[in-house]
Amino acid sequence: MAGENSATLDEAGKAPRTDRGRKTRRALLDAARQEFGENGFHAASISGITRRAGVALGSFYTYFDSKEALFTALVRDMSDQVRDHVAPVLRAAPDQLAAERAGCAAFIEFVRTHKEIYRIIDEAEFVDAASFREHYAGTADRIAQRLAAAGDRGELRADDAEVLAWALMGMNVFLGLRFGVWGQERDSGAVADVVARLLVRGLGAG
């Protein structure tokens, strides 16, 4: 399940040991996504989160030490959700260019049902800078690895996979903002087709 990395949870001493516990923790994360997404970190409250989750206020501390700890867990959870949502279309693509096109479309579709991710990740820069950096650095690292592998296969000219990875990620982030959050009038596949042409042909007139 996205965001339920056992090693991370065990380090915090809050790993649920039962199915009921895992469901309760999941409910708190989902409620936190709504609360932080609507109200922002500072205006959000633990009582508001537990009300949304249908969990007793005292039970909150079984899973999280503080609002800050829950926010950190939520940033990681949402990053994992994006990864898990996009991964199947990447694996199914016949080559890397097709994979990047499909990944772009899948990300836009994810954003359309999780618009709050932009507010939460943006706030992380000021609430938990380490999680903010981890979110983007981890995403870029995954992209760089697949670009480098595609370069080794001769599918792409991945001469500097790190730079290309950050460029691709930045492009997807802002496409998600424009066509996932600010408006949905364009088909996500059609937007991704434009991106695919850019990746194949570049911007040069020749």
Side-chain angles (χ1 to χ4, degrees):
M1 181 180 293
E4 297 294 332
N5 183 282
S6 59
T8 301
L9 295 179
D10 284 337
E11 289 170 6
K14 298 289 184 177
R17 304 300 180 186
T18 65
D19 286 341
R20 181 179 180 182
R22 285 185 283 273
K23 289 177 181 178
T24 300
R25 189 177 187 279
R26 178 74 260 163
L28 286 167
L29 285 167
D30 290 341
R33 176 172 54 83
Q34 297 173 346
E35 180 80 3
F36 290 132
E38 291 176 15
N39 301 320
F41 175 81
H42 294 291
S45 66
I46 291 174
S47 60
I49 292 167
T50 53
R51 278 198 303 272
R52 290 175 188 264
V55 174
L57 182 60
S59 298
F60 174 90
Y61 296 97
T62 301
Y63 304 96
F64 302 101
D65 289 328
S66 63
K67 184 171 75 169
E68 289 79 4
L70 173 56
F71 186 84
T72 295
L74 179 62
V75 172
R76 292 172 179 168
D77 182 73
M78 296 206 74
S79 186
D80 288 349
Q81 286 191 49
V82 173
R83 178 199 64 202
D84 294 345
H85 181 81
V86 173
V89 302
L90 296 178
R91 289 194 297 267
D95 56 58
Q96 200 57 48
L97 284 171
E100 298 308 323
R101 182 255 175 221
C104 176
F107 177 69
I108 293 172
E109 287 299 320
F110 179 87
V111 168
R112 289 178 174 179
T113 55
H114 299 80
K115 294 184 179 69
E116 64 281 352
I117 189 173
Y118 278 86
R119 181 169 191 172
I120 291 167
I121 298 300
D122 285 351
E123 275 202 298
E125 182 179 8
F126 306 100
V127 176
D128 184 355
S131 291
F132 175 78
R133 182 167 181 166
E134 179 184 331
H135 168 72
Y136 284 116
T139 300
D141 185 58
R142 289 193 296 272
I143 297 173
Q145 288 182 35
R146 66 182 188 242
L147 292 181
D152 290 342
R153 296 192 300 269
E155 294 179 12
L156 299 176
R157 191 182 67 239
D159 50 343
D160 194 324
E162 181 184 15
V163 172
L164 293 173
W166 282 90
L168 280 174
M169 179 177 66
M171 180 169 58
N172 287 340
V173 166
F174 280 97
L175 288 170
L177 181 63
R178 169 60 184 87
F179 298 107
V181 177
W182 291 351
Q184 300 182 14
E185 71 279 7
R186 299 282 295 274
D187 178 75
S188 60
V191 173
D193 286 340
V194 176
V195 172
R197 289 195 293 272
L198 171 63
L199 296 180
V200 171
R201 301 174 187 171
L203 291 175

